[in-house]
Amino acid sequence: MISRIVKSAFLALFLWVFVWPAAAQAPQFDRSKLTIRTTGGEKIELDVEWAITPDQRAHGLMFREQLGDDQGMIFDFGTVRDVMMWMKNTPLSLDMLFIDQNGLVKRVASRTAPFSEAIIPSGTPVRYVLEIRGGQAATLGLAEGAVVDLTPPKGASD
Protein backbone atom coordinates (compact mmCIF):
# COMPACT_ATOMS: atom_id res chain seq x y z
CA MET A 1 0.00 0.00 0.00
CA ILE A 2 2.74 2.48 0.96
CA SER A 3 4.72 1.48 -2.12
CA ARG A 4 1.74 2.26 -4.35
CA ILE A 5 1.31 5.70 -2.72
CA VAL A 6 5.01 6.48 -3.16
CA LYS A 7 4.89 5.43 -6.84
CA SER A 8 1.81 7.60 -7.39
CA ALA A 9 3.51 10.54 -5.72
CA PHE A 10 6.60 10.17 -7.92
CA LEU A 11 4.44 9.93 -11.05
CA ALA A 12 2.51 13.06 -10.06
CA LEU A 13 5.76 14.92 -9.36
CA PHE A 14 7.20 13.85 -12.73
CA LEU A 15 4.10 15.04 -14.58
CA TRP A 16 4.03 18.32 -12.69
CA VAL A 17 7.74 19.07 -13.22
CA PHE A 18 8.28 17.88 -16.81
CA VAL A 19 5.02 17.55 -18.73
CA TRP A 20 2.74 20.26 -17.36
CA PRO A 21 5.12 23.21 -18.02
CA ALA A 22 5.60 22.23 -21.66
CA ALA A 23 1.87 21.90 -22.27
CA ALA A 24 1.08 25.01 -20.25
CA GLN A 25 3.50 27.16 -22.25
CA ALA A 26 1.72 26.64 -25.58
CA PRO A 27 1.90 29.81 -27.65
CA GLN A 28 -1.25 31.62 -28.76
CA PHE A 29 -2.32 31.12 -32.38
CA ASP A 30 -4.40 33.38 -34.62
CA ARG A 31 -7.37 31.59 -36.22
CA SER A 32 -9.13 32.00 -39.52
CA LYS A 33 -11.16 30.13 -42.10
CA LEU A 34 -9.18 28.45 -44.86
CA THR A 35 -10.75 27.46 -48.18
CA ILE A 36 -9.40 24.58 -50.26
CA ARG A 37 -10.53 23.65 -53.77
CA THR A 38 -10.20 19.90 -54.32
CA THR A 39 -8.99 18.46 -57.62
CA GLY A 40 -12.66 17.62 -58.27
CA GLY A 41 -13.63 21.29 -57.88
CA GLU A 42 -15.36 21.02 -54.48
CA LYS A 43 -14.68 23.78 -51.95
CA ILE A 44 -13.81 22.75 -48.40
CA GLU A 45 -13.65 25.23 -45.51
CA LEU A 46 -11.52 24.57 -42.45
CA ASP A 47 -11.06 26.50 -39.21
CA VAL A 48 -7.28 26.74 -38.82
CA GLU A 49 -4.74 28.11 -36.41
CA TRP A 50 -1.73 29.88 -37.97
CA ALA A 51 1.76 28.87 -36.82
CA ILE A 52 3.81 31.81 -38.10
CA THR A 53 6.49 32.59 -35.51
CA PRO A 54 9.38 30.22 -34.77
CA ASP A 55 7.89 29.44 -31.32
CA GLN A 56 4.47 28.69 -32.82
CA ARG A 57 5.96 26.46 -35.53
CA ALA A 58 8.13 24.62 -32.98
CA HIS A 59 5.13 23.89 -30.74
CA GLY A 60 2.52 23.20 -33.41
CA LEU A 61 -0.06 20.62 -32.34
CA MET A 62 2.09 19.02 -29.65
CA PHE A 63 0.17 17.74 -26.63
CA ARG A 64 -3.21 18.19 -28.38
CA GLU A 65 -5.53 15.28 -27.77
CA GLN A 66 -8.43 16.44 -29.96
CA LEU A 67 -8.81 18.00 -33.39
CA GLY A 68 -12.19 18.40 -35.05
CA ASP A 69 -13.10 17.19 -38.53
CA ASP A 70 -13.01 20.77 -39.84
CA GLN A 71 -9.99 22.00 -37.86
CA GLY A 72 -6.29 22.19 -38.53
CA MET A 73 -3.09 24.15 -38.22
CA ILE A 74 -1.20 25.83 -41.04
CA PHE A 75 2.53 26.43 -40.72
CA ASP A 76 3.86 29.42 -42.69
CA PHE A 77 7.63 29.20 -43.08
CA GLY A 78 7.82 32.67 -44.68
CA THR A 79 9.92 31.46 -47.57
CA VAL A 80 10.01 28.58 -50.04
CA ARG A 81 12.30 25.77 -48.88
CA ASP A 82 12.54 22.07 -48.17
CA VAL A 83 10.54 21.44 -45.00
CA MET A 84 10.91 18.63 -42.48
CA MET A 85 8.20 17.83 -39.93
CA TRP A 86 7.88 15.26 -37.14
CA MET A 87 5.32 14.07 -34.61
CA LYS A 88 7.30 14.40 -31.37
CA ASN A 89 4.93 14.92 -28.40
CA THR A 90 1.91 14.78 -30.72
CA PRO A 91 -0.64 12.17 -29.57
CA LEU A 92 -2.86 12.50 -32.66
CA SER A 93 -2.30 10.95 -36.06
CA LEU A 94 -2.21 13.75 -38.62
CA ASP A 95 -2.36 14.25 -42.37
CA MET A 96 0.21 16.79 -43.57
CA LEU A 97 -0.39 18.73 -46.77
CA PHE A 98 2.78 20.33 -48.16
CA ILE A 99 1.83 23.48 -50.07
CA ASP A 100 3.84 25.78 -52.36
CA GLN A 101 3.83 29.59 -52.31
CA ASN A 102 0.89 29.70 -54.76
CA GLY A 103 -1.32 27.44 -52.62
CA LEU A 104 -0.85 24.28 -54.70
CA VAL A 105 -0.74 21.06 -52.66
CA LYS A 106 2.47 19.30 -53.72
CA ARG A 107 2.40 16.29 -51.39
CA VAL A 108 0.21 14.66 -48.75
CA ALA A 109 1.69 12.59 -45.91
CA SER A 110 -1.24 10.54 -44.61
CA ARG A 111 -1.88 9.19 -41.12
CA THR A 112 1.45 10.08 -39.56
CA ALA A 113 2.46 8.06 -36.50
CA PRO A 114 1.73 9.70 -33.12
CA PHE A 115 4.80 10.57 -31.01
CA SER A 116 7.18 9.55 -33.82
CA GLU A 117 10.49 11.34 -34.20
CA ALA A 118 10.84 10.10 -37.79
CA ILE A 119 11.36 12.94 -40.25
CA ILE A 120 8.49 13.65 -42.67
CA PRO A 121 10.00 15.56 -45.62
CA SER A 122 8.14 17.88 -47.98
CA GLY A 123 9.81 16.17 -50.95
CA THR A 124 9.98 19.49 -52.80
CA PRO A 125 10.42 23.12 -51.73
CA VAL A 126 7.22 24.50 -50.15
CA ARG A 127 6.20 27.46 -48.02
CA TYR A 128 3.31 25.99 -46.02
CA VAL A 129 2.26 22.80 -44.27
CA LEU A 130 -1.36 22.17 -43.31
CA GLU A 131 -1.95 19.61 -40.57
CA ILE A 132 -5.39 18.04 -40.19
CA ARG A 133 -6.63 14.98 -38.33
CA GLY A 134 -5.27 11.71 -39.70
CA GLY A 135 -7.48 10.31 -42.49
CA GLN A 136 -9.30 13.60 -43.12
CA ALA A 137 -7.42 14.37 -46.36
CA ALA A 138 -8.86 11.25 -48.01
CA THR A 139 -12.30 11.82 -46.46
CA LEU A 140 -12.41 15.41 -47.75
CA GLY A 141 -10.88 14.60 -51.13
CA LEU A 142 -7.71 16.60 -50.47
CA ALA A 143 -4.82 15.38 -52.60
CA GLU A 144 -1.86 16.59 -54.60
CA GLY A 145 -3.13 19.26 -56.98
CA ALA A 146 -5.71 20.77 -54.61
CA VAL A 147 -5.46 24.56 -54.24
CA VAL A 148 -5.48 26.38 -50.88
CA ASP A 149 -6.52 30.04 -50.47
CA LEU A 150 -3.70 31.25 -48.20
CA THR A 151 -4.87 34.50 -46.63
CA PRO A 152 -3.35 34.92 -43.16
CA PRO A 153 -5.64 36.34 -40.45
CA LYS A 154 -5.58 40.10 -39.96
CA GLY A 155 -2.97 41.15 -37.44
CA ALA A 156 -0.84 38.02 -37.93
CA SER A 157 2.80 38.93 -37.72
CA ASP A 158 6.23 37.39 -37.30
Side-chain angles (χ1 to χ4, degrees):
M1 176 79 167
I2 298 291
S3 174
R4 189 179 313 170
I5 292 171
V6 170
K7 286 179 185 178
S8 294
F10 277 116
L11 178 60
L13 180 61
F14 172 81
L15 291 172
W16 184 76
V17 170
F18 293 105
V19 176
W20 179 79
Q25 294 175 12
Q28 295 297 310
F29 298 95
D30 288 327
R31 299 181 83 93
S32 72
K33 296 293 184 186
L34 186 76
T35 303
I36 306 171
R37 189 174 358 100
T38 68
T39 55
E42 184 179 350
K43 286 191 175 182
I44 306 293
E45 188 172 86
L46 299 174
D47 178 30
V48 298
E49 295 172 277
W50 285 80
I52 297 170
T53 68
D55 285 344
Q56 290 170 331
R57 289 191 305 263
H59 194 278
L61 291 170
M62 288 193 306
F63 307 107
R64 299 272 184 100
E65 295 183 2
Q66 296 180 355
L67 192 62
D69 291 345
D70 65 341
Q71 295 179 323
M73 179 172 285
I74 186 142
F75 295 74
D76 181 351
F77 291 90
T79 186
V80 177
R81 63 184 180 94
D82 286 321
V83 171
M84 294 180 283
M85 305 291 282
W86 67 354
M87 296 291 294
K88 183 176 181 177
N89 298 322
T90 307
L92 299 171
S93 175
L94 300 172
D95 289 346
M96 296 181 186
L97 287 72
F98 295 90
I99 306 164
D100 73 10
Q101 71 277 10
N102 298 315
L104 183 65
V105 176
K106 304 298 277 183
R107 177 175 184 259
V108 178
S110 299
R111 298 185 181 270
T112 58
F115 298 107
S116 174
E117 292 186 25
I119 299 300
I120 304 161
S122 59
T124 188
V126 296
R127 177 170 172 177
Y128 306 94
V129 177
L130 173 62
E131 293 182 340
I132 57 178
R133 201 175 76 218
Q136 279 302 98
T139 299
L140 297 172
L142 303 176
E144 184 177 324
V147 179
V148 183
D149 178 11
L150 294 159
T151 306
K154 291 184 189 239
S157 63
D158 293 61

